[in-house]
Amino acid sequence: MTVAAVASAVFCSACSGRLAQGALSPVAQANTEGTSLVPLLVATTRKQSTDTGNMFDRERADGVSYASVTVSMPPDAARKIGEVQWPSSMPGNPSQDFVTTSANYLDKRSFLVALSAATKQTGRGKVLVFVHGFNNRFDEAVFRFAQIVHGSKAPATPVLFSWPSRGVVGLREYQDDLEDANNSSDAIVQLLDTIAADANVKEITVVCHSMGCSPTLEALRSKAVRTGKIGDKIKNILLVAPDVDVDVFRTKMQQMGSGRPRFALFMSQDDGALKLSKTLLGGATRLGDADPAQEPYKTDFRRENILVFDLTGMRGGAHSRAFEDPSSVMAMIEERLAEGQQMTDDGSTP
């Protein structure tokens, strides 16, 4: 089997069932009993698509664009918890599929108004920002984040940051995605600054997955170096299966200084996607694939006060099991954040 074939098998484990395109075309919900609506705000560095069913494509835009999308989740009895249930064809069936009920482009002013209104509505001033990983089309990022928000039930305003991943598996595509992800770090800084400037926002939690952790960490490092601090409102950073060089991570953490947010790391030593990334990038150990019980990682994580959860061997796909398993540590942390409790060194609540 060729390296390209192995890459396709590993990286495309989550591709099955997804539509070729058009999943964001709004569908009339028709008062389907038991469904749940998940409204999301979006900031993206993707170009606007000519197909409204896609909203944004895989090309990089010159600046940041904004949108709002509402996703309807099927009733719990018809849904496998932790999975995105793609329609087999359009229009989808709200009683059994994830479907879009509204999708609107916004200018920045409208985005700010929507953010402020949504944050007031939750009553807690919390915002949850999600940065997706490699091989994610825009509609996939939307549906995955909707699943995370619905599953965690956190009373926070959800904001998706989507960088221009091609949504295609291949060695060249991996390198191109990595370049475009890293080129989006300034846009992440801009988004975090925009959210923090809202007087209604009291707390920001950032969740990044896989390759999306690379621009997220660079954005945080850049803020710290440029202004001397990351920002008081950014409280928690959750790194899920981070596809980041462990030595680069160590350097960036040191450059962020001691006044950084609390970091939680979700890792698995049986993550085939990260092992392949390691091979593709010359053998550099990926942060999400490191063994936290071994040195120097054990000492490094303790010194940097990083909350570590080893998900090796848990059920679900290794690269995304923190999102798929409702009993995972990811879900427990989100639950505690929803209750206003703080993360402690062992994951317990005070």
Side-chain angles (χ1 to χ4, degrees), residues 189-216:
V189 172
Q190 178 184 328
L191 175 63
L192 294 176
D193 287 346
T194 296
I195 294 172
D198 189 318
N200 295 309
V201 174
K202 307 302 180 186
E203 178 179 314
I204 302 170
T205 293
V206 181
V207 180
C208 61
H209 180 226
S210 185
M211 191 180 282
C213 293
S214 182
T216 300

Side-chain angles (χ1 to χ4, degrees), residues 229-241:
K229 62 179 181 178
I230 291 175
D232 295 337
K233 291 185 179 181
I234 303 174
K235 302 294 188 183
N236 304 292
I237 309 296
L238 280 62
L239 310 174
V240 181

Side-chain angles (χ1 to χ4, degrees), residues 143-155:
F143 279 9
R144 171 56 79 184
F145 190 32
Q147 175 260 316
I148 294 170
V149 172
H150 185 263
S152 69
K153 296 181 174 59

Side-chain angles (χ1 to χ4, degrees), residues 7-39:
S8 180
V10 172
F11 284 123
C12 208
S13 60
C15 300
S16 59
R18 71 183 185 183
L19 288 173
Q21 60 182 4
L24 298 182
S25 296
V27 172
Q29 196 178 20
N31 298 319
T32 305
E33 185 177 356
T35 58
S36 302
L37 295 180
V38 180

Side-chain angles (χ1 to χ4, degrees), residues 131-313:
V131 184
H132 64 76
F134 168 67
N135 184 31
N136 270 234
R137 297 184 327 209
F138 181 69
D139 58 353
E140 290 177 296
V142 167
F143 279 9
R144 171 56 79 184
F145 190 32
Q147 175 260 316
I148 294 170
V149 172
H150 185 263
S152 69
K153 296 181 174 59
T157 301
V159 178
L160 168 66
F161 179 84
S162 182
W163 52 274
S165 168
R166 284 151 181 74
V168 177
V169 174
L171 304 185
R172 175 61 183 272
E173 286 77 10
Y174 180 88
Q175 294 288 351
D176 288 344
D177 265 18
L178 183 58
E179 179 181 351
D180 281 335
N182 288 331
N183 283 336
S184 294
S185 62
D186 285 347
I188 296 177
V189 172
Q190 178 184 328
L191 175 63
L192 294 176
D193 287 346
T194 296
I195 294 172
D198 189 318
N200 295 309
V201 174
K202 307 302 180 186
E203 178 179 314
I204 302 170
T205 293
V206 181
V207 180
C208 61
H209 180 226
S210 185
M211 191 180 282
C213 293
S214 182
T216 300
L217 288 168
E218 174 55 24
L220 297 171
R221 185 206 68 83
S222 176
K223 280 177 63 65
V225 170
R226 222 161 31 189
T227 66
K229 62 179 181 178
I230 291 175
D232 295 337
K233 291 185 179 181
I234 303 174
K235 302 294 188 183
N236 304 292
I237 309 296
L238 280 62
L239 310 174
V240 181
D243 188 0
V244 176
D245 184 317
V246 70
D247 292 328
V248 171
F249 172 71
R250 183 185 297 113
T251 299
K252 288 184 186 294
M253 290 293 284
Q254 292 170 351
Q255 292 174 335
M256 288 180 207
S258 59
R260 58 179 176 258
R262 190 57 189 272
F263 278 75
L265 172 60
F266 301 85
M267 55 207 312
S268 302
Q269 282 85 68
D270 54 353
D271 189 330
L274 291 182
K275 292 186 184 304
L276 184 55
S277 295
K278 178 179 178 179
T279 299
L280 297 177
L281 297 173
T285 298
R286 315 318 290 164
L287 177 61
D289 186 45
D291 185 347
Q294 299 296 318
E295 298 293 357
Y297 313 119
K298 183 177 180 179
T299 297
D300 286 346
F301 295 152
R302 181 179 296 133
R303 182 183 63 247
E304 302 298 342
N305 202 28
I306 298 170
L307 185 61
V308 177
F309 294 104
D310 189 348
L311 308 184
T312 304

